[in-house]
Amino acid sequence: MSIPSGALQPALVLDFDGTVCIGSGPLWVYAQAVCELLPPERASTLHGALEDYLAGRSPHSSYGDGYALVADLGSRFLSPECSGACYRRSREWLGDHPDEVAPPEGLASLLDELDGRVRRLLVTNSPQPSAEQVLDHLGLGSRFDDVLGSARKPSGFPPILTTLQGRCPGWACMSVGDFWSNDIEPALAQGWMTGWLNPVGLDPRPSHLSAQTFQQMRDGLLEWAENPERFSTGHALPEVDAMPLPPRTDND
């Protein structure tokens, strides 16, 4: 990571899958790789649950993201080596099929507007080379100031946040992602501002910004970048009763 720990420029940290990279293809490849190693009945249950999740149907909509669902219903019954191999298979597929994903509307122009004003950072559990390959294909590679892969969120996220924050106050740092337990909860714990993308309408959880699409959140992110301190005073963290999530995953 090239960002110095003493940096004072505001930091915007974006997740990769489901935030910058939109499309369910890699997720289905991960699920299929897991299903191939499961008994047929359990594989069928996993497949149906993932379909329900992506359609926003209960009872599976409480999962933090589709990767967490696959991990909880499938890969947790496998050895760590097999589970990791299944996830890497989805990363390899994504690198070979970058046309199967797309950036969200409004992201490229936002990153352009923030150039020179905010550190534009991407932190992902995906291996850095494959993430950078996809970013380049999507025309986003040059729009990020730094990319950090294999982050092992959520457990590995706090020390990364500390390094990126440097001497900045928490309100000058913003974490945006679609998996509340991975992208939002660790940032809140360190006093950061947060933007939760909630595309399938999960039950409310605390976040300074929350929207179903990136385009809906875009104006809020620009407001934060314009004056982070003023944003923090005008966007008090809502108090909500969060539904417990299944076990968190270091896959993203």
Side-chain angles (χ1 to χ4, degrees), residues 1-8 119 161-168:
M1 187 165 15
S2 61
I3 300 298
S5 61
L8 285 173
R119 287 174 285 152
L161 295 173
T162 297
T163 298
L164 294 177
Q165 180 172 344
R167 294 182 286 117
C168 287

Side-chain angles (χ1 to χ4, degrees), residues 68 71 153-155 179 181-182 185-186 245-251:
K153 294 186 284 184
S155 61
F179 192 169
S181 295
N182 275 21
E185 186 178 25
L245 282 172
R248 300 184 296 177
T249 173
D250 283 344
N251 287 338

